[in-house]
Amino acid sequence: NKTTDVSITVGEEVKLTLKDEEGNKVDLALVVWTCADNNVTISGNVITGAAAGTTTVTAVYDGVTYKCIFRVY
C-alpha cells in the first residue's frame, strides 16, 4: 500500500494522478476512486474539499490499492 497525505481547504480542488510501480502515469480511466466519508467529493480524478475533517480517498488500479489521506480545513 502506498499512502499520500494532503491538506486542503473546503472548496479547494485537487487533481489526483497515479503512477505505477515503474513511475509511469496510469491511464485514469482504469482507476476506481472511492471515499468512505463526506469530507470530499469525487468527480473522476478531481477531489474537492466538502467539509472539515479527515478522510481517505482510495484508488484501485490493476488490483493494487493506493490511499490518499485528505485533511480538510
Side-chain angles (χ1 to χ4, degrees):
N1 271 357
K2 304 208 172 181
T3 304
T4 307
D5 197 315
V6 178
S7 292
I8 62 174
T9 57
V10 172
E12 184 177 355
E13 287 186 356
V14 175
K15 286 187 180 174
L16 294 182
T17 57
L18 188 62
K19 292 184 179 178
D20 63 17
E21 299 290 327
E22 286 78 44
N24 301 310
K25 278 192 178 178
V26 168
D27 180 354
L28 296 177
L30 303 176
V31 180
V32 177
W33 309 91
T34 57
C35 179
D37 305 299
N38 296 324
N39 299 91
V40 298
T41 58
I42 301 175
S43 177
N45 69 319
V46 178
I47 312 299
T48 305
T54 302
T55 191
T56 301
V57 173
T58 303
V60 178
Y61 168 73
D62 198 25
V64 181
T65 300
Y66 301 84
K67 294 187 178 188
C68 184
I69 297 168
F70 276 84
R71 300 176 195 280
V72 184
Y73 296 96

